[in-house]
Short mmCIF file of all heavy atoms in Angstrom, two decimals:
data_model
loop_
_atom_site.label_atom_id
_atom_site.label_comp_id
_atom_site.label_asym_id
_atom_site.label_seq_id
_atom_site.Cartn_x
_atom_site.Cartn_y
_atom_site.Cartn_z
N MET I 490 189.38 -55.30 -110.15
CA MET I 490 189.16 -55.24 -108.69
C MET I 490 187.84 -55.94 -108.35
O MET I 490 186.87 -55.79 -109.07
CB MET I 490 189.09 -53.80 -108.22
CG MET I 490 190.37 -53.01 -108.45
SD MET I 490 191.71 -53.50 -107.36
CE MET I 490 191.09 -52.91 -105.79
N PRO I 491 187.80 -56.69 -107.28
CA PRO I 491 186.54 -57.31 -106.86
C PRO I 491 185.55 -56.25 -106.39
O PRO I 491 185.91 -55.08 -106.19
CB PRO I 491 186.98 -58.21 -105.69
CG PRO I 491 188.26 -57.61 -105.21
CD PRO I 491 188.92 -57.00 -106.41
N PRO I 492 184.29 -56.62 -106.22
CA PRO I 492 183.27 -55.63 -105.87
C PRO I 492 183.51 -55.00 -104.50
O PRO I 492 184.02 -55.64 -103.57
CB PRO I 492 181.98 -56.44 -105.88
CG PRO I 492 182.39 -57.85 -105.77
CD PRO I 492 183.75 -57.96 -106.38
N VAL I 493 183.10 -53.77 -104.43
CA VAL I 493 183.12 -53.02 -103.17
C VAL I 493 181.67 -52.63 -102.86
O VAL I 493 180.98 -52.08 -103.73
CB VAL I 493 184.01 -51.77 -103.26
CG1 VAL I 493 183.92 -50.95 -101.98
CG2 VAL I 493 185.44 -52.15 -103.57
N ILE I 494 181.23 -52.93 -101.66
CA ILE I 494 179.85 -52.67 -101.27
C ILE I 494 179.77 -51.39 -100.44
O ILE I 494 180.51 -51.23 -99.46
CB ILE I 494 179.29 -53.85 -100.43
CG1 ILE I 494 179.55 -55.19 -101.10
CG2 ILE I 494 177.80 -53.64 -100.18
CD1 ILE I 494 178.96 -55.36 -102.47
N ASP I 495 178.88 -50.51 -100.84
CA ASP I 495 178.65 -49.29 -100.05
C ASP I 495 177.61 -49.61 -98.98
O ASP I 495 176.42 -49.79 -99.31
CB ASP I 495 178.14 -48.18 -100.97
CG ASP I 495 177.95 -46.86 -100.24
OD1 ASP I 495 177.85 -46.88 -98.99
OD2 ASP I 495 177.85 -45.82 -100.92
N PRO I 496 177.99 -49.69 -97.72
CA PRO I 496 177.04 -50.08 -96.68
C PRO I 496 175.93 -49.06 -96.49
O PRO I 496 174.87 -49.41 -95.97
CB PRO I 496 177.93 -50.19 -95.43
CG PRO I 496 179.12 -49.36 -95.72
CD PRO I 496 179.34 -49.42 -97.20
N ASP I 497 176.15 -47.83 -96.90
CA ASP I 497 175.10 -46.82 -96.77
C ASP I 497 173.97 -47.01 -97.78
O ASP I 497 172.85 -46.54 -97.59
CB ASP I 497 175.69 -45.42 -96.92
CG ASP I 497 176.63 -45.07 -95.78
OD1 ASP I 497 176.41 -45.57 -94.65
OD2 ASP I 497 177.59 -44.32 -96.00
N LYS I 498 174.28 -47.69 -98.90
CA LYS I 498 173.27 -47.94 -99.94
C LYS I 498 172.66 -49.34 -99.82
O LYS I 498 171.56 -49.59 -100.27
CB LYS I 498 173.88 -47.78 -101.32
CG LYS I 498 174.27 -46.37 -101.68
CD LYS I 498 174.83 -46.33 -103.12
CE LYS I 498 175.23 -44.92 -103.51
NZ LYS I 498 175.85 -44.91 -104.88
N CYS I 499 173.41 -50.28 -99.24
CA CYS I 499 172.97 -51.67 -99.17
C CYS I 499 171.78 -51.86 -98.24
O CYS I 499 171.80 -51.38 -97.10
CB CYS I 499 174.13 -52.54 -98.69
SG CYS I 499 173.71 -54.27 -98.51
N ASN I 500 170.75 -52.55 -98.76
CA ASN I 500 169.56 -52.82 -97.94
C ASN I 500 169.54 -54.29 -97.44
O ASN I 500 168.51 -54.75 -96.96
CB ASN I 500 168.29 -52.49 -98.69
CG ASN I 500 168.08 -53.39 -99.90
OD1 ASN I 500 168.79 -54.37 -100.10
ND2 ASN I 500 167.10 -53.05 -100.73
N LEU I 501 170.65 -55.01 -97.66
CA LEU I 501 170.79 -56.38 -97.18
C LEU I 501 169.79 -57.34 -97.82
O LEU I 501 169.38 -58.31 -97.22
CB LEU I 501 170.66 -56.46 -95.64
CG LEU I 501 171.63 -55.56 -94.85
CD1 LEU I 501 171.34 -55.65 -93.37
CD2 LEU I 501 173.06 -55.94 -95.14
N CYS I 502 169.45 -57.08 -99.09
CA CYS I 502 168.45 -57.92 -99.77
C CYS I 502 169.00 -59.31 -100.09
O CYS I 502 168.23 -60.27 -100.26
CB CYS I 502 167.97 -57.25 -101.03
SG CYS I 502 169.20 -57.14 -102.34
N GLY I 503 170.31 -59.44 -100.28
CA GLY I 503 170.92 -60.75 -100.55
C GLY I 503 170.98 -61.12 -102.02
O GLY I 503 171.44 -62.23 -102.34
N VAL I 504 170.54 -60.26 -102.91
CA VAL I 504 170.55 -60.59 -104.34
C VAL I 504 171.96 -60.85 -104.84
O VAL I 504 172.20 -61.79 -105.62
CB VAL I 504 169.89 -59.46 -105.15
CG1 VAL I 504 170.17 -59.61 -106.64
CG2 VAL I 504 168.39 -59.44 -104.90
N CYS I 505 172.93 -60.07 -104.41
CA CYS I 505 174.31 -60.28 -104.88
C CYS I 505 174.82 -61.65 -104.46
O CYS I 505 175.52 -62.33 -105.25
CB CYS I 505 175.22 -59.18 -104.38
SG CYS I 505 175.18 -58.94 -102.58
N ASP I 506 174.49 -62.07 -103.26
CA ASP I 506 174.89 -63.40 -102.79
C ASP I 506 174.22 -64.47 -103.64
O ASP I 506 174.86 -65.43 -104.09
CB ASP I 506 174.47 -63.52 -101.32
CG ASP I 506 174.85 -64.87 -100.72
OD1 ASP I 506 175.24 -65.78 -101.44
OD2 ASP I 506 174.70 -65.00 -99.49
N GLU I 507 172.94 -64.33 -103.93
CA GLU I 507 172.20 -65.32 -104.70
C GLU I 507 172.68 -65.39 -106.14
O GLU I 507 172.70 -66.48 -106.74
CB GLU I 507 170.70 -64.97 -104.70
CG GLU I 507 170.04 -65.06 -103.34
CD GLU I 507 168.63 -64.51 -103.37
OE1 GLU I 507 168.09 -64.27 -104.48
OE2 GLU I 507 168.08 -64.29 -102.28
N HIS I 508 173.08 -64.29 -106.72
CA HIS I 508 173.37 -64.24 -108.15
C HIS I 508 174.82 -64.43 -108.52
O HIS I 508 175.15 -64.67 -109.67
CB HIS I 508 172.88 -62.92 -108.75
CG HIS I 508 171.38 -62.83 -108.81
ND1 HIS I 508 170.74 -61.90 -109.58
CD2 HIS I 508 170.42 -63.53 -108.18
CE1 HIS I 508 169.43 -62.04 -109.41
NE2 HIS I 508 169.21 -63.02 -108.56
N CYS I 509 175.73 -64.33 -107.55
CA CYS I 509 177.15 -64.51 -107.87
C CYS I 509 177.39 -65.97 -108.25
O CYS I 509 177.15 -66.88 -107.45
CB CYS I 509 178.03 -64.14 -106.67
SG CYS I 509 179.78 -64.46 -107.00
N PRO I 510 177.88 -66.21 -109.47
CA PRO I 510 178.05 -67.59 -109.93
C PRO I 510 179.22 -68.31 -109.26
O PRO I 510 179.31 -69.53 -109.37
CB PRO I 510 178.31 -67.42 -111.43
CG PRO I 510 178.89 -66.07 -111.56
CD PRO I 510 178.22 -65.22 -110.48
N LEU I 511 180.08 -67.58 -108.61
CA LEU I 511 181.26 -68.20 -108.01
C LEU I 511 181.26 -68.15 -106.49
O LEU I 511 182.28 -68.43 -105.85
CB LEU I 511 182.53 -67.53 -108.57
CG LEU I 511 182.75 -67.72 -110.06
CD1 LEU I 511 184.02 -67.00 -110.50
CD2 LEU I 511 182.86 -69.18 -110.40
N ASP I 512 180.17 -67.77 -105.90
CA ASP I 512 180.06 -67.71 -104.45
C ASP I 512 181.17 -66.86 -103.82
O ASP I 512 181.76 -67.23 -102.81
CB ASP I 512 180.06 -69.13 -103.85
CG ASP I 512 178.79 -69.89 -104.13
OD1 ASP I 512 177.76 -69.22 -104.37
OD2 ASP I 512 178.83 -71.11 -104.15
N VAL I 513 181.41 -65.74 -104.47
CA VAL I 513 182.39 -64.78 -103.91
C VAL I 513 181.80 -64.02 -102.73
O VAL I 513 182.50 -63.69 -101.78
CB VAL I 513 182.82 -63.78 -105.02
CG1 VAL I 513 183.66 -62.66 -104.47
CG2 VAL I 513 183.58 -64.55 -106.14
N ILE I 514 180.48 -63.76 -102.82
CA ILE I 514 179.81 -62.88 -101.88
C ILE I 514 178.93 -63.67 -100.92
O ILE I 514 178.19 -64.57 -101.34
CB ILE I 514 178.93 -61.85 -102.66
CG1 ILE I 514 179.83 -60.97 -103.54
CG2 ILE I 514 178.08 -61.02 -101.72
CD1 ILE I 514 179.04 -60.02 -104.42
N TYR I 515 178.98 -63.30 -99.68
CA TYR I 515 178.16 -63.96 -98.66
C TYR I 515 177.45 -62.92 -97.82
O TYR I 515 178.03 -61.88 -97.47
CB TYR I 515 179.02 -64.84 -97.74
CG TYR I 515 179.41 -66.14 -98.42
CD1 TYR I 515 180.47 -66.16 -99.33
CD2 TYR I 515 178.73 -67.31 -98.17
CE1 TYR I 515 180.82 -67.35 -99.97
CE2 TYR I 515 179.08 -68.51 -98.80
CZ TYR I 515 180.13 -68.51 -99.69
OH TYR I 515 180.48 -69.67 -100.31
N MET I 516 176.21 -63.21 -97.48
CA MET I 516 175.48 -62.32 -96.58
C MET I 516 175.82 -62.68 -95.13
O MET I 516 175.83 -63.84 -94.75
CB MET I 516 173.97 -62.49 -96.78
CG MET I 516 173.47 -62.00 -98.11
SD MET I 516 173.86 -60.27 -98.43
CE MET I 516 173.06 -59.47 -97.04
N GLU I 517 176.10 -61.65 -94.38
CA GLU I 517 176.33 -61.79 -92.95
C GLU I 517 175.27 -61.00 -92.23
O GLU I 517 174.58 -60.18 -92.83
CB GLU I 517 177.73 -61.26 -92.58
CG GLU I 517 178.88 -61.92 -93.32
CD GLU I 517 179.20 -63.31 -92.80
OE1 GLU I 517 178.55 -63.74 -91.83
OE2 GLU I 517 180.10 -63.95 -93.36
N ASN I 518 175.16 -61.22 -90.96
CA ASN I 518 174.14 -60.48 -90.19
C ASN I 518 174.35 -58.97 -90.29
O ASN I 518 173.40 -58.21 -90.36
CB ASN I 518 174.18 -60.92 -88.72
CG ASN I 518 173.64 -62.32 -88.56
OD1 ASN I 518 172.84 -62.78 -89.35
ND2 ASN I 518 174.09 -62.99 -87.52
N GLU I 519 175.63 -58.58 -90.32
CA GLU I 519 175.90 -57.14 -90.27
C GLU I 519 176.10 -56.52 -91.64
O GLU I 519 176.29 -55.33 -91.77
CB GLU I 519 177.14 -56.87 -89.42
CG GLU I 519 178.41 -57.48 -89.96
CD GLU I 519 178.63 -58.93 -89.54
OE1 GLU I 519 177.68 -59.56 -89.04
OE2 GLU I 519 179.73 -59.45 -89.77
N GLY I 520 176.09 -57.35 -92.71
CA GLY I 520 176.26 -56.79 -94.04
C GLY I 520 176.75 -57.82 -95.02
O GLY I 520 176.68 -59.01 -94.81
N VAL I 521 177.27 -57.32 -96.13
CA VAL I 521 177.78 -58.17 -97.22
C VAL I 521 179.26 -58.41 -97.04
O VAL I 521 180.03 -57.47 -96.86
CB VAL I 521 177.48 -57.53 -98.58
CG1 VAL I 521 178.05 -58.35 -99.72
CG2 VAL I 521 175.99 -57.30 -98.76
N ASP I 522 179.65 -59.66 -97.14
CA ASP I 522 181.05 -60.02 -97.03
C ASP I 522 181.55 -60.48 -98.39
O ASP I 522 181.07 -61.50 -98.92
CB ASP I 522 181.21 -61.15 -95.98
CG ASP I 522 182.66 -61.58 -95.84
OD1 ASP I 522 183.56 -60.80 -96.17
OD2 ASP I 522 182.89 -62.71 -95.37
N VAL I 523 182.49 -59.73 -98.97
CA VAL I 523 183.14 -60.18 -100.20
C VAL I 523 184.26 -61.11 -99.77
O VAL I 523 185.42 -60.75 -99.60
CB VAL I 523 183.68 -58.99 -101.02
CG1 VAL I 523 184.30 -59.47 -102.32
CG2 VAL I 523 182.57 -57.98 -101.29
N ARG I 524 183.90 -62.37 -99.59
CA ARG I 524 184.74 -63.31 -98.86
C ARG I 524 185.91 -63.85 -99.68
O ARG I 524 186.97 -64.11 -99.14
CB ARG I 524 183.87 -64.48 -98.38
CG ARG I 524 184.59 -65.38 -97.38
CD ARG I 524 183.65 -66.38 -96.79
NE ARG I 524 182.55 -65.74 -96.04
CZ ARG I 524 181.51 -66.42 -95.56
NH1 ARG I 524 181.41 -67.70 -95.74
NH2 ARG I 524 180.56 -65.77 -94.92
N TYR I 525 185.67 -64.04 -100.96
CA TYR I 525 186.73 -64.62 -101.80
C TYR I 525 187.02 -63.70 -102.98
O TYR I 525 186.74 -64.03 -104.13
CB TYR I 525 186.32 -66.02 -102.27
CG TYR I 525 185.99 -66.96 -101.15
CD1 TYR I 525 184.69 -67.35 -100.89
CD2 TYR I 525 187.02 -67.45 -100.32
CE1 TYR I 525 184.39 -68.22 -99.84
CE2 TYR I 525 186.74 -68.31 -99.28
CZ TYR I 525 185.41 -68.70 -99.05
OH TYR I 525 185.14 -69.54 -98.01
N PRO I 526 187.60 -62.54 -102.71
CA PRO I 526 187.78 -61.54 -103.78
C PRO I 526 188.65 -62.03 -104.92
O PRO I 526 188.44 -61.62 -106.07
CB PRO I 526 188.43 -60.36 -103.04
CG PRO I 526 189.01 -60.95 -101.79
CD PRO I 526 188.11 -62.09 -101.41
N LEU I 527 189.60 -62.90 -104.63
CA LEU I 527 190.47 -63.38 -105.71
C LEU I 527 189.77 -64.32 -106.66
O LEU I 527 190.26 -64.61 -107.75
CB LEU I 527 191.72 -64.06 -105.11
CG LEU I 527 192.64 -63.16 -104.28
CD1 LEU I 527 193.82 -63.96 -103.75
CD2 LEU I 527 193.11 -61.97 -105.11
N GLU I 528 188.61 -64.82 -106.25
CA GLU I 528 187.83 -65.72 -107.11
C GLU I 528 186.91 -64.95 -108.08
O GLU I 528 186.33 -65.56 -108.99
CB GLU I 528 186.98 -66.67 -106.24
CG GLU I 528 187.78 -67.54 -105.29
CD GLU I 528 188.75 -68.45 -106.03
OE1 GLU I 528 188.37 -68.99 -107.07
OE2 GLU I 528 189.90 -68.60 -105.54
N CYS I 529 186.75 -63.67 -107.86
CA CYS I 529 185.83 -62.87 -108.70
C CYS I 529 186.34 -62.83 -110.13
O CYS I 529 187.50 -62.49 -110.37
CB CYS I 529 185.72 -61.46 -108.13
SG CYS I 529 184.77 -60.34 -109.19
N TRP I 530 185.46 -63.14 -111.09
CA TRP I 530 185.88 -63.06 -112.49
C TRP I 530 185.23 -61.88 -113.20
O TRP I 530 185.19 -61.82 -114.41
CB TRP I 530 185.63 -64.38 -113.22
CG TRP I 530 184.19 -64.80 -113.36
CD1 TRP I 530 183.09 -64.13 -112.90
CD2 TRP I 530 183.72 -65.96 -114.04
NE1 TRP I 530 181.94 -64.81 -113.23
CE2 TRP I 530 182.30 -65.94 -113.94
CE3 TRP I 530 184.31 -67.01 -114.72
CZ2 TRP I 530 181.49 -66.94 -114.48
CZ3 TRP I 530 183.50 -67.99 -115.27
CH2 TRP I 530 182.13 -67.96 -115.13
N HIS I 531 184.71 -60.94 -112.42
CA HIS I 531 184.21 -59.68 -112.95
C HIS I 531 183.09 -59.86 -113.97
O HIS I 531 183.07 -59.17 -114.98
CB HIS I 531 185.36 -58.85 -113.55
CG HIS I 531 186.48 -58.59 -112.58
ND1 HIS I 531 187.54 -59.44 -112.44
CD2 HIS I 531 186.65 -57.63 -111.67
CE1 HIS I 531 188.36 -58.99 -111.51
NE2 HIS I 531 187.84 -57.90 -111.00
N CYS I 532 182.19 -60.78 -113.68
CA CYS I 532 181.06 -60.95 -114.60
C CYS I 532 180.08 -59.79 -114.51
O CYS I 532 179.32 -59.54 -115.45
CB CYS I 532 180.33 -62.26 -114.29
SG CYS I 532 179.43 -62.23 -112.72
N GLY I 533 180.07 -59.08 -113.38
CA GLY I 533 179.23 -57.91 -113.24
C GLY I 533 177.82 -58.17 -112.75
O GLY I 533 177.03 -57.23 -112.60
N ALA I 534 177.48 -59.44 -112.49
CA ALA I 534 176.11 -59.76 -112.10
C ALA I 534 175.72 -59.07 -110.80
O ALA I 534 174.59 -58.57 -110.65
CB ALA I 534 175.95 -61.26 -111.96
N CYS I 535 176.63 -59.04 -109.87
CA CYS I 535 176.29 -58.42 -108.57
C CYS I 535 175.98 -56.94 -108.75
O CYS I 535 175.02 -56.42 -108.14
CB CYS I 535 177.41 -58.64 -107.56
SG CYS I 535 179.04 -58.10 -108.12
N ARG I 536 176.74 -56.26 -109.53
CA ARG I 536 176.50 -54.84 -109.73
C ARG I 536 175.23 -54.62 -110.55
O ARG I 536 174.43 -53.73 -110.24
CB ARG I 536 177.68 -54.18 -110.46
CG ARG I 536 177.52 -52.67 -110.52
CD ARG I 536 178.69 -51.99 -111.16
NE ARG I 536 178.68 -52.11 -112.61
CZ ARG I 536 179.39 -51.36 -113.43
NH1 ARG I 536 180.20 -50.43 -112.95
NH2 ARG I 536 179.31 -51.54 -114.74
N GLN I 537 175.05 -55.41 -111.58
CA GLN I 537 173.89 -55.22 -112.46
C GLN I 537 172.59 -55.49 -111.72
O GLN I 537 171.59 -54.81 -111.94
CB GLN I 537 173.99 -56.16 -113.66
CG GLN I 537 172.82 -56.06 -114.61
CD GLN I 537 173.03 -56.86 -115.88
OE1 GLN I 537 174.10 -56.81 -116.46
NE2 GLN I 537 172.04 -57.62 -116.29
N ASP I 538 172.57 -56.48 -110.86
CA ASP I 538 171.33 -56.92 -110.22
C ASP I 538 171.06 -56.24 -108.88
O ASP I 538 169.97 -56.39 -108.34
CB ASP I 538 171.35 -58.43 -110.05
CG ASP I 538 171.45 -59.16 -111.38
OD1 ASP I 538 171.18 -58.52 -112.42
OD2 ASP I 538 171.80 -60.36 -111.39
N CYS I 539 172.03 -55.54 -108.34
CA CYS I 539 171.81 -54.86 -107.07
C CYS I 539 170.75 -53.79 -107.23
O CYS I 539 170.87 -52.89 -108.06
CB CYS I 539 173.11 -54.22 -106.57
SG CYS I 539 172.88 -53.23 -105.09
N PRO I 540 169.66 -53.85 -106.44
CA PRO I 540 168.56 -52.91 -106.64
C PRO I 540 168.85 -51.50 -106.15
O PRO I 540 168.08 -50.58 -106.44
CB PRO I 540 167.42 -53.55 -105.85
CG PRO I 540 168.11 -54.32 -104.77
CD PRO I 540 169.38 -54.83 -105.40
N THR I 541 169.91 -51.33 -105.39
CA THR I 541 170.16 -50.00 -104.80
C THR I 541 171.43 -49.34 -105.32
O THR I 541 171.79 -48.27 -104.84
CB THR I 541 170.24 -50.11 -103.27
OG1 THR I 541 171.40 -50.90 -102.93
CG2 THR I 541 169.00 -50.76 -102.68
N GLY I 542 172.12 -49.99 -106.22
CA GLY I 542 173.36 -49.41 -106.75
C GLY I 542 174.48 -49.39 -105.72
O GLY I 542 175.35 -48.52 -105.75
N ALA I 543 174.47 -50.37 -104.83
CA ALA I 543 175.45 -50.39 -103.75
C ALA I 543 176.78 -51.03 -104.14
O ALA I 543 177.74 -50.97 -103.39
CB ALA I 543 174.88 -51.12 -102.54
N VAL I 544 176.79 -51.69 -105.32
CA VAL I 544 177.99 -52.44 -105.71
C VAL I 544 178.79 -51.65 -106.73
O VAL I 544 178.26 -51.19 -107.74
CB VAL I 544 177.61 -53.82 -106.33
CG1 VAL I 544 178.87 -54.59 -106.70
CG2 VAL I 544 176.74 -54.60 -105.37
N ASP I 545 180.06 -51.50 -106.45
CA ASP I 545 180.96 -50.84 -107.39
C ASP I 545 182.05 -51.84 -107.78
O ASP I 545 182.58 -52.57 -106.94
CB ASP I 545 181.60 -49.61 -106.76
CG ASP I 545 182.40 -48.81 -107.75
OD1 ASP I 545 182.09 -48.83 -108.96
OD2 ASP I 545 183.38 -48.16 -107.33
N ILE I 546 182.36 -51.90 -109.07
CA ILE I 546 183.41 -52.79 -109.57
C ILE I 546 184.29 -52.00 -110.53
O ILE I 546 183.77 -51.30 -111.40
CB ILE I 546 182.83 -54.01 -110.33
CG1 ILE I 546 181.92 -54.83 -109.45
CG2 ILE I 546 183.97 -54.88 -110.84
CD1 ILE I 546 181.25 -55.98 -110.22
N GLU I 547 185.57 -52.13 -110.34
CA GLU I 547 186.50 -51.60 -111.35
C GLU I 547 186.91 -52.78 -112.22
O GLU I 547 187.57 -53.71 -111.77
CB GLU I 547 187.73 -50.99 -110.69
CG GLU I 547 187.42 -49.66 -110.01
CD GLU I 547 188.69 -48.99 -109.51
OE1 GLU I 547 189.78 -49.28 -110.05
OE2 GLU I 547 188.59 -48.20 -108.56
N PHE I 548 186.49 -52.75 -113.47
CA PHE I 548 186.77 -53.86 -114.37
C PHE I 548 188.22 -53.78 -114.85
O PHE I 548 188.73 -52.68 -115.11
CB PHE I 548 185.82 -53.83 -115.56
CG PHE I 548 184.42 -54.15 -115.19
CD1 PHE I 548 183.50 -53.14 -114.92
CD2 PHE I 548 183.99 -55.48 -115.09
CE1 PHE I 548 182.19 -53.43 -114.56
CE2 PHE I 548 182.69 -55.76 -114.74
CZ PHE I 548 181.79 -54.74 -114.46
N PRO I 549 188.88 -54.92 -115.00
CA PRO I 549 190.25 -54.92 -115.54
C PRO I 549 190.26 -54.29 -116.94
O PRO I 549 189.32 -54.48 -117.72
CB PRO I 549 190.60 -56.41 -115.60
CG PRO I 549 189.68 -57.08 -114.64
CD PRO I 549 188.40 -56.26 -114.66
N LEU I 550 191.30 -53.57 -117.23
CA LEU I 550 191.39 -52.89 -118.53
C LEU I 550 191.27 -53.85 -119.69
O LEU I 550 190.68 -53.51 -120.71
CB LEU I 550 192.72 -52.11 -118.61
CG LEU I 550 192.85 -50.93 -117.65
CD1 LEU I 550 194.21 -50.28 -117.83
CD2 LEU I 550 191.74 -49.91 -117.86
N ILE I 551 191.78 -55.06 -119.53
CA ILE I 551 191.74 -56.02 -120.64
C ILE I 551 190.29 -56.39 -120.97
O ILE I 551 189.96 -56.66 -122.11
CB ILE I 551 192.58 -57.28 -120.30
CG1 ILE I 551 192.78 -58.11 -121.56
CG2 ILE I 551 191.92 -58.11 -119.21
CD1 ILE I 551 193.80 -59.22 -121.39
N MET I 552 189.40 -56.33 -119.97
CA MET I 552 187.99 -56.65 -120.21
C MET I 552 187.29 -55.50 -120.90
O MET I 552 186.24 -55.67 -121.49
CB MET I 552 187.28 -56.97 -118.88
CG MET I 552 187.74 -58.24 -118.23
SD MET I 552 186.80 -58.63 -116.74
CE MET I 552 185.19 -59.02 -117.45
N LEU I 553 187.86 -54.31 -120.78
CA LEU I 553 187.24 -53.12 -121.42
C LEU I 553 187.81 -52.92 -122.81
O LEU I 553 187.47 -51.93 -123.48
CB LEU I 553 187.50 -51.89 -120.55
CG LEU I 553 186.91 -51.98 -119.12
CD1 LEU I 553 187.34 -50.75 -118.30
CD2 LEU I 553 185.39 -52.07 -119.17
N GLY I 554 188.73 -53.78 -123.22
CA GLY I 554 189.30 -53.67 -124.56
C GLY I 554 190.33 -52.54 -124.67
O GLY I 554 190.60 -52.06 -125.76
N VAL I 555 190.88 -52.14 -123.51
CA VAL I 555 191.86 -51.05 -123.54
C VAL I 555 193.26 -51.62 -123.70
O VAL I 555 193.58 -52.63 -123.08
CB VAL I 555 191.81 -50.25 -122.22
CG1 VAL I 555 192.89 -49.19 -122.20
CG2 VAL I 555 190.42 -49.61 -122.10
S1 SF4 L 1409 172.31 -56.75 -103.92
FE1 SF4 L 1409 172.96 -54.70 -103.30
S2 SF4 L 1409 171.48 -54.07 -101.76
FE2 SF4 L 1409 171.29 -56.30 -101.98
S3 SF4 L 1409 172.68 -57.18 -100.43
FE3 SF4 L 1409 173.86 -57.00 -102.31
S4 SF4 L 1409 174.89 -54.99 -102.18
FE4 SF4 L 1409 173.21 -55.01 -100.67
S1 SF4 L 1410 181.46 -59.70 -110.45
FE1 SF4 L 1410 180.49 -61.71 -110.72
S2 SF4 L 1410 181.97 -63.15 -109.88
FE2 SF4 L 1410 182.53 -61.15 -109.10
S3 SF4 L 1410 181.49 -61.00 -107.12
FE3 SF4 L 1410 180.14 -60.07 -108.67
S4 SF4 L 1410 178.75 -61.69 -109.32
FE4 SF4 L 1410 180.52 -62.64 -108.26
#
C-alpha cells in the first residue's frame, strides 16, 4: 500500500516530498498529497525520514519475505 499521511501529526516540513525518489508525494498548501500512489515502490524513505512519524506504510508481504 502507498503511504498514508496522518494530518494530525504532519507539520508540513516537506521532507517526504524532498526524499521520495519517484516523486510520488507532493506538498500542497493544505497538506501532503500522495499524488501518484501506483508509482510507489515502497522504499520506505518517506516513513523513515518523517520527523513526526506521520507516515504509515503497509509493505507488500513479498517485501517482508512472507
Ligand atoms: S515528512 Fe512527515 S511531517 Fe514532513 S511533510 Fe511529510 S508527512 Fe508531514
Ligand atoms: S515509500 Fe518511497 S517511493 Fe513510496 S512514497 Fe515513500 S519515498 Fe516515495
Side-chain angles (χ1 to χ4, degrees):
M490 298 288 291
V493 175
I494 311 300
D495 183 342
D497 293 330
K498 292 182 180 177
C499 177
N500 66 9
L501 304 177
C502 68
V504 166
C505 54
D506 180 350
E507 294 171 12
H508 290 196
C509 176
L511 295 179
D512 290 335
V513 171
I514 297 175
Y515 283 80
M516 292 304 301
E517 303 284 358
N518 289 334
E519 64 275 11
V521 176
D522 179 22
V523 182
R524 191 172 298 172
Y525 302 109
L527 297 180
E528 300 299 320
C529 173
W530 64 359
H531 304 90
C532 70
C535 53
R536 187 177 78 163
Q537 178 173 316
D538 298 343
C539 174
T541 66
V544 182
D545 187 29
I546 301 175
E547 288 187 24
F548 291 95
L550 293 180
I551 193 169
M552 292 185 69
L553 300 175
V555 176

